[in-house]
Amino acid sequence: MALKISWLNHAIADAGLVTVYWFPEEVGEAEGASGVLSSSRVSRTRVQVAGTPQEVAAWNAAALAYLDELAPAIAELERVEVRVRRWRRRLVSRRWAEATYGRAKAAFLDRVEPTAAAYRPVREAVERRIAEQEAQRIEAGRRAYREQERRREEARARFEEWEWRQAAADRPLPGGSTPRELAARGETPQAWPAELRETVGDIDAWWERVRASVRNQRAREEAVRKVAQAITATAAALEEAGRPGISAVKDRPYEVRHGWWVHFTWSGLPDATWLRTPPDMPTGHLYAGQWRDDAYHPDRILLMRQPSGAYGLAVVSSESIANGLATRYTWWEWEIERFAQALVPDRLVYHTTHTFEVAVRLRITDHADPAVFVPYAEAVARRATAAFRVVAAG
């Protein structure tokens, strides 16, 4: 690491005496260098450059010799500049002031040009080394980037092969049915096609995962059915009883809705350890990010009766407007079936941290362990149906 020392003075710049390189961390600051570095007329910039101890010692010795001659010469020139500055503003004395400064500048150049000529090869050698090392750093960065992209492409290819194996459960077999459809009917083929065996590898382990996926899907469908039936039954009971306790709800949105608040308690649900990366899924192609599921568990929701007589659900939603200076609230409405489906997550998505893109979408039921997913779906259904039955009972 070196200090690139530049003088903020047009006369010095015009003379080509702009830059000196000093390595303070290698040998400490000498007296001449310390005086220059403390000047407010000097720009100091750290640059990356490395050299052998012998080279650094030689470069610092040349810089110090240059500074020992340059620093007092610059100080003398600046004293003359300060002395004649106010006389330059007067028409009568302007010519004298410029001539005085011109003689001081000529004397300055005569004094430092031999030392500058002696330092010029050192400065060019340091700048050449900086350019060489910068080119090496750039090339090393390019090589690292190319290697990173090569590995990412290999990982992406492995992921695509993995996706192809996952999709085998939904590709028709000779007979028309897919393996997933056979598993749903409780059937197992006498023999599997050779192409399928080549694709999935361990056919027995793969078939067990397909059947597990079917069990998960059935558990989710049953949970959704129970919740939807509970909502429909609650609406029918309220309608039959003359809609007791119905209220006009304005809340934060401007629009008024008529219905009943339903409150939920979701604490204590079974551990959702299935919300994670599938154990055999290649992830080397993914940028930094996180997995998210699409489970929707509100604290409360409005069971509302629409003017048409149909029942639906609504929650308060918000969005930023006026470049984030204000918030607009509105009712987010749900159909009964869609709300029931949202309670039990179906999709697992991977969001990248910096781009917020969805890099991967997976069906949770295809990868979750039934011993974990099935109790979870059943518990969610019990909590939701109990909440709606409380409203009907009330």
Side-chain angles (χ1 to χ4, degrees):
M1 184 69 70
L3 281 179
K4 180 181 179 181
I5 306 172
S6 302
W7 277 263
L8 308 177
N9 185 301
H10 68 86
I12 304 171
D14 292 344
L17 310 173
V18 177
T19 304
V20 176
Y21 292 94
W22 176 250
F23 295 77
E25 297 177 356
E26 301 295 335
V27 296
E29 293 181 3
E31 183 178 353
S34 178
V36 170
L37 294 177
S38 63
S39 172
S40 62
R41 305 293 296 274
V42 171
S43 169
R44 296 165 293 276
T45 306
R46 289 191 174 272
V47 295
Q48 289 284 350
V49 58
T52 65
Q54 295 78 11
E55 288 175 328
V56 171
W59 291 341
N60 266 1
L64 186 58
Y66 187 27
L67 293 174
D68 285 343
E69 184 65 29
L70 187 60
I74 290 176
E76 178 61 29
L77 178 64
E78 289 179 344
R79 281 194 293 270
V80 174
E81 184 178 14
V82 170
R83 188 168 66 249
V84 303
R85 182 177 298 149
R86 65 189 181 93
W87 297 104
R88 284 178 168 176
R89 301 172 185 171
R90 302 180 181 182
L91 183 61
V92 175
S93 57
R94 182 180 301 167
R95 183 174 297 177
W96 169 84
E98 291 179 351
T100 301
Y101 181 74
R103 287 192 296 271
K105 181 178 178 180
F108 165 78
L109 294 176
D110 290 340
R111 179 178 178 180
V112 301
E113 276 183 350
T115 309
Y119 181 72
R120 189 173 297 114
V122 176
R123 183 179 67 192
E124 292 174 351
V126 174
E127 291 177 344
R128 197 161 46 246
R129 181 67 57 82
I130 292 174
E132 292 171 356
Q133 293 179 352
E134 181 64 18
Q136 292 172 1
R137 283 192 291 269
I138 292 174
E139 181 58 28
R142 287 173 177 169
R143 287 197 301 269
Y145 175 77
R146 289 194 295 267
E147 177 63 17
Q148 177 182 339
E149 288 303 301
R150 184 189 65 80
R151 293 180 179 178
R152 192 181 301 280
E153 288 303 316
E154 290 179 352
R156 187 182 301 279
R158 291 192 296 269
F159 173 73
E160 291 173 354
E161 292 176 0
W162 180 85
E163 278 191 315
W164 178 253
R165 289 195 297 270
Q166 301 303 308
D170 297 301
R171 288 195 290 270
L173 298 171
S177 297
T178 67
R180 194 183 303 277
E181 291 170 345
L182 293 175
R185 295 198 298 264
E187 302 175 6
T188 301
Q190 295 296 324
W192 296 102
E195 181 181 356
L196 179 63
R197 286 180 174 276
E198 183 180 353
T199 298
V200 302
D202 187 342
I203 192 71
D204 294 332
W206 169 82
W207 179 235
E208 184 60 32
R209 286 197 298 271
V210 173
R211 292 195 295 181
S213 171
V214 170
R215 291 199 297 273
N216 288 337
Q217 187 60 33
R218 283 177 176 170
R220 181 176 183 273
E221 291 172 355
E222 180 64 15
V224 169
R225 184 188 63 80
K226 288 180 178 179
V227 174
Q229 285 183 347
I231 299 173
T232 303
T234 299
L238 292 171
E239 194 68 20
E240 183 179 356
R243 299 189 289 277
I246 192 171
S247 58
V249 180
K250 185 174 185 300
D251 208 84
R252 289 181 175 179
Y254 178 79
E255 303 89 348
V256 175
R257 295 291 184 267
H258 295 82
W260 302 262
W261 282 115
V262 182
H263 298 269
F264 302 96
T265 301
W266 304 110
S267 60
L269 287 175
D271 183 24
T273 54
W274 39 268
L275 293 179
R276 59 183 178 87
T277 310
D280 59 341
M281 173 185 160
T283 58
H285 67 294
L286 296 177
Y287 292 102
Q290 59 181 338
W291 289 97
R292 297 177 185 172
D293 65 277
D294 59 351
Y296 178 66
H297 294 158
D299 294 331
R300 66 174 185 169
I301 198 166
L302 184 68
L303 175 62
M304 63 177 186
R305 187 179 187 278
Q306 299 170 342
S308 64
Y311 278 79
L313 302 150
V315 293
V316 177
S317 180
S318 64
E319 62 176 340
S320 297
I321 59 175
N323 293 327
L325 298 178
T327 302
R328 178 167 56 195
Y329 296 94
T330 185
W331 289 102
W332 184 273
E333 298 186 359
W334 293 82
E335 296 179 353
I336 293 176
E337 182 71 17
R338 179 69 187 88
F339 172 73
Q341 291 177 352
L343 293 180
V344 184
D346 179 53
R347 296 287 173 178
L348 190 61
V349 297
Y350 186 83
H351 293 262
T352 57
T353 300
H354 300 294
T355 64
F356 303 104
E357 294 179 353
V358 175
V360 180
R361 282 187 173 88
L362 301 174
R363 284 190 300 195
I364 290 176
T365 52
D366 284 353
H367 307 284
D369 182 356
V372 179
F373 183 86
V374 173
Y376 180 90
E378 292 173 348
V380 169
R382 282 196 303 271
R383 301 289 180 87
T385 54
F388 283 99
R389 286 169 182 163
V390 167
V391 174

